[in-house]
């Protein structure tokens, strides 16, 4: 049967879904609607190699327009501003109307904004897309002392890149550690030390009271009355799923679009994938929302299969990374449900990993080390988690013993 | 095909099965693998970013990069999974008298 399949949101999950649908369905029309006038591209380099000029715009695209053409996938640059699920229609600002038989929502997430006086709204920069990355890159070339508000992954990656561009960087974080409570404090501290060793200033436990503009520069007043002078401000204070469009519809929302393990939403023929979806994970027996590269790809592929009628459960064990200076941090599984923590290694040069266990099985792990030092072990950890293996804690805690000994073939 | 291009890597028992070793020669670096059906060699550095694959995970015929989980087929060098998209260069390998040699062009 020939269907009209529409993908709302032309990012990573959207493009992987489109290609997967085509693999399983040669006939249907597949149309991606994306508000960025760009083919789907990778976001991770925006805060890292793109700012550092090690990657150019053309290196970021997942696929060329030829690939899309060959697979008969249409990409249209348009912003949708109204949906009618009952009549299966999407409406654009310019009065274009798009009808669908099946719809995938992959609108991603958007940055939280600081609540500030109106007259400062255009002075604070955020990083989510290529356009913003280009702007930041251009402006920082003339700035010296840059303040990052928010010590999460993206803020710290920007701080690392700007430091490598010889800028003086200050990071202000409201919490008592970097990268949020999901990261073990010990690992957050190791990352913090690396920033400090490279000359970045890290301020924890402080809130912004007020920002004032002075002769083109800024003064940031903190809640302990200290004052920071800076000539450029970037905020990375977290993100929220892009769901505004669906707020007054029947679509079930709860920290994103609620989906089951088949990427199905509460409305028939409507699917969701990637950052925007709060999905049911059958292994962990709970819902979760992830913002990660691997998840956007795999979840997109899984949605694609289900849209094409190949019923497939989403069972990927979560995984994400962050690169800062010469460190590579990786997170697998979930680290907030455990009855025991086991530490492997204590030297960042050889990698340090914290395993989170429940009933002697790994639920998740977080590791950091000089580039290359934790990847293999974290990967093996994902496999052990997935296989629900009862693990030998002696092997987990001893860096001289190889973890692959734990995999039952 | 001159004989000189074959460079000795080491003894065949220096690599465990389904594992790899790093081999540096002049200014280049390689990975040499022992799979169930023999020895193979590829460039040592991931084509995505500059990380050495010696710390990666060998699974069946594949090497997975330790940094972002890009995956390559060890025998063909083909990039199988993003973020790796550029293929990895492979090199011929031979075994002579329990020693591994790779042919570098
Ligand atoms: C700066 C940065 C660095 C990152 N670094 C890492 C990293 O190191 N490791 C990691 O694992 N992950 C990283 N991530 C996360 C990863 O990039 C995201 O999880 C992934 O891009 C999510 O894919 P998605 O398809 O769900 O959403 P997106 O890629 O965000 O795509 C959504 C698209 O939908 C469009 N859209 C939204 N609403 C509409 C509408 N109404 N009409 C039309 N189009 C619309 C948006 O403009 C956007 O183009 C990073 C993200 C950012 C921003
Ligand atoms: S460096 Fe190998 S996948 Fe990125």
């Amino acid at each position: 049967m020939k269907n009209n399949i529409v993908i709302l949101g032309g990012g990573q999950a959207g493009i992987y879904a489109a290609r997967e649908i085509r693999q399983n369905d040669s006939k249907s029309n597949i149309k991606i609607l994306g508000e960025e006038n760009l083919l789907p591209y990778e976001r991770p380099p925006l805060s890292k190699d793109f700012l550092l000029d090690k990657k150019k715009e053309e290196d970021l695209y997942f696929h060329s327009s030829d690939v899309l053409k060959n697979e008969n996938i249409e990409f249209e640059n348009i912003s949708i501003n109204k949906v009618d699920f009952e009549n299966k229609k999407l409406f654009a600002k310019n009065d274009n109307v798009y009808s669908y038989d099946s719809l995938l929502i992959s609108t991603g997430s958007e940055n939280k904004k600081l609540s500030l006086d109106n007259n400062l709204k255009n002075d604070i920069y955020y990083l989510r897309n290529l356009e913003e990355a280009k702007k930041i890159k251009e402006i920082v070339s003339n700035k010296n002392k840059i303040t990052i508000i928010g010590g999460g992954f993206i803020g710290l990656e920007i701080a690392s890149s700007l430091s490598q561009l010889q800028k003086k960087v200050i990071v202000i974080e409201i919490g008592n550690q970097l990268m949020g409570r999901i990261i073990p404090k010990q690992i957050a501290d190791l990352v913090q030390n690396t920033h400090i060793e490279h000359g970045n200033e890290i301020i924890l436990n402080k809130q912004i009271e007020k920002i004032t503009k002075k002769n083109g520069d800024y003064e940031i007043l903190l809640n302990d009355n200290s004052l920071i002078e800076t000539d450029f401000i970037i905020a990375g204070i977290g993100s929220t799923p892009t769901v505004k469009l669906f707020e007054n519809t029947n679509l079930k929302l709860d920290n994103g679009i609620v989906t089951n393990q088949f990427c199905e939403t509460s409305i028939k023929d409507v699917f969701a994938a990637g950052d925007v979806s709060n999905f049911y994970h059958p292994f962990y027996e709970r819902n979760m929302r992830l913002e990660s590269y691997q998840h956007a790809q795999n979840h997109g592929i899984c949605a694609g299969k289900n849209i094409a009628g190949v019923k497939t459960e989403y069972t990927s064990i979560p995984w994400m990374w962050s690169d800062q200076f010469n460190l590579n941090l990786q997170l697998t599984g979930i680290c907030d449900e455990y009855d025991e923590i086991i530490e492997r290694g204590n030297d960042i040069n050889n990698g340090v990993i914290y395993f989170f266990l429940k009933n002697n099985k790994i639920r998740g792990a977080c590791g950091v080390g000089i580039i290359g030092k934790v990847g293999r072990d974290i990967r093996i950890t994902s496999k052990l988690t997935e296989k629900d293996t009862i693990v030998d804690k002696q092997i987990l805690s001893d860096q001289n013993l190889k973890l692959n000994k734990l995999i039952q073939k | 095909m001159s004989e000189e291009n074959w460079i000795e890597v080491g003894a065949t028992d220096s690599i465990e099965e389904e594992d790899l070793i790093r081999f540096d020669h002049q200014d280049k670096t390689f990975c040499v693998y022992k799979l169930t059906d023999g020895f193979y060699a590829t460039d040592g550095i991931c084509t995505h970013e500059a990380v050495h694959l010696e710390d990666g995970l060998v699974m069946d015929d594949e090497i997975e990069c330790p940094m972002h989980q890009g995956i390559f087929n060890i025998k063909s060098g083909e990039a199988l999974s993003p973020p790796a998209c550029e293929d990895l260069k492979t090199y011929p390998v031979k075994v002579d008298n329990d020693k591994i040699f790779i042919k570098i062009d």
Side-chain angles (χ1 to χ4, degrees), chain B residues 46-51 53 65-70 72 82-84:
Chain B
C46 181
T47 59
H48 180 234
E49 282 170 22
V51 61
L53 292 169
C65 174
M67 197 159 167
H68 308 127
Q69 296 189 357
F72 302 92

Side-chain angles (χ1 to χ4, degrees), chain A residues 16 42 49 55 293-294 297 319 321 323 328 330 371-376 378-380 382-383 402 405 409, chain B residues 16 18-20 48-52 54-59 64-69 71 81-84:
Chain A
Y16 276 94
E42 298 188 317
D49 280 3
K55 278 207 167 110
Y293 182 96
Q294 172 248 23
Q297 174 183 321
W319 174 74
W321 83 84
D323 298 328
N328 172 242
Q330 298 194 13
I371 282 166
K373 290 304 166 201
V374 295
R376 177 165 36 197
I378 290 285
R379 182 69 177 108
I380 295 171
S382 307
K383 283 176 175 291
K402 282 191 176 176
K405 303 254 179 297
K409 295 226 167 164
Chain B
E16 286 176 40
E18 275 220 4
D19 207 353
L20 82 168
H48 180 234
E49 282 170 22
V51 61
H52 208 291
E54 70 173 317
D55 293 314
L57 182 65
V58 179
M59 280 173 303
E64 194 176 277
C65 174
M67 197 159 167
H68 308 127
Q69 296 189 357
I71 300 176
S81 177

Side-chain angles (χ1 to χ4, degrees), chain A residues 342 344 353 355 362 365 374-384 389 391-408, chain B residues 57:
Chain A
I342 292 183
R344 181 178 176 88
I353 299 180
F355 299 97
I362 301 175
V374 295
R376 177 165 36 197
D377 283 349
I378 290 285
R379 182 69 177 108
I380 295 171
T381 303
S382 307
K383 283 176 175 291
L384 293 168
T389 313
V391 286
D392 178 339
K393 295 173 199 166
Q394 178 68 33
I395 298 183
L396 281 189
S397 62
D398 185 347
Q399 218 164 24
N400 297 314
L401 301 174
K402 282 191 176 176
L403 280 195
N404 54 7
K405 303 254 179 297
L406 293 169
I407 296 185
Q408 293 150 1
Chain B
L57 182 65

Side-chain angles (χ1 to χ4, degrees), chain A residues 45-53 133 136-137 158 161-162 165:
Chain A
L46 297 181
S47 46
K48 317 175 190 83
D49 280 3
F50 183 77
L51 285 185
L52 290 170
D53 234 0
I136 289 176
K137 195 164 152 179
I158 299 172
S161 299
L162 296 182
L165 294 171

Side-chain angles (χ1 to χ4, degrees), chain A residues 168-309:
Chain A
K168 167 79 192 135
V169 182
I170 303 164
V171 178
I172 305 171
E173 163 60 40
I174 191 170
N176 62 0
Q177 70 164 77
L178 295 174
M179 296 175 291
R181 274 169 304 163
I182 201 80
I183 300 295
K185 173 93 167 58
Q186 296 88 334
I187 288 193
D189 289 348
L190 290 170
V191 171
Q192 178 171 335
N193 290 344
T194 300
H195 276 264
I196 292 170
E197 277 163 22
H198 283 87
N200 285 355
E201 188 179 339
I202 308 277
I203 302 175
L204 297 175
N205 290 314
K206 294 288 176 315
Q207 281 199 54
I208 312 282
E209 286 289 326
K210 200 173 172 202
I211 303 178
T212 340
K213 203 168 178 173
K214 267 202 178 150
N215 309 326
D217 292 343
Y218 304 92
E219 265 182 10
I220 304 176
L221 177 68
L222 301 179
N223 57 341
D224 63 350
N225 282 328
S226 57
L227 210 54
I228 291 168
E229 286 177 9
T230 189
D231 52 15
F232 190 58
I233 304 174
I234 305 173
I237 54 168
S239 45
T240 52
T242 307
V243 293
K244 203 159 192 313
L245 204 51
F246 318 111
E247 267 164 8
N248 295 314
T249 70
N250 289 333
L251 190 66
K252 189 169 176 205
L253 303 177
D254 177 13
N255 178 29
I257 301 172
V258 178
T259 57
N260 63 13
Q261 63 269 49
F262 303 106
C263 309
E264 294 164 333
T265 68
S266 60
I267 296 179
K268 192 172 173 297
D269 299 325
V270 179
F271 299 75
D275 281 9
V276 76
S277 145
N278 182 359
F279 65 99
Y280 180 76
H281 198 301
F283 178 81
Y284 291 104
E285 298 179 324
R286 67 178 227 199
N287 273 66
M288 56 179 79
R289 194 174 75 79
L290 302 173
E291 293 178 5
S292 104
Y293 182 96
Q294 172 248 23
H295 169 66
Q297 174 183 321
N298 292 344
H299 208 212
I301 291 173
C302 183
K305 284 194 168 60
N306 285 302
I307 291 169

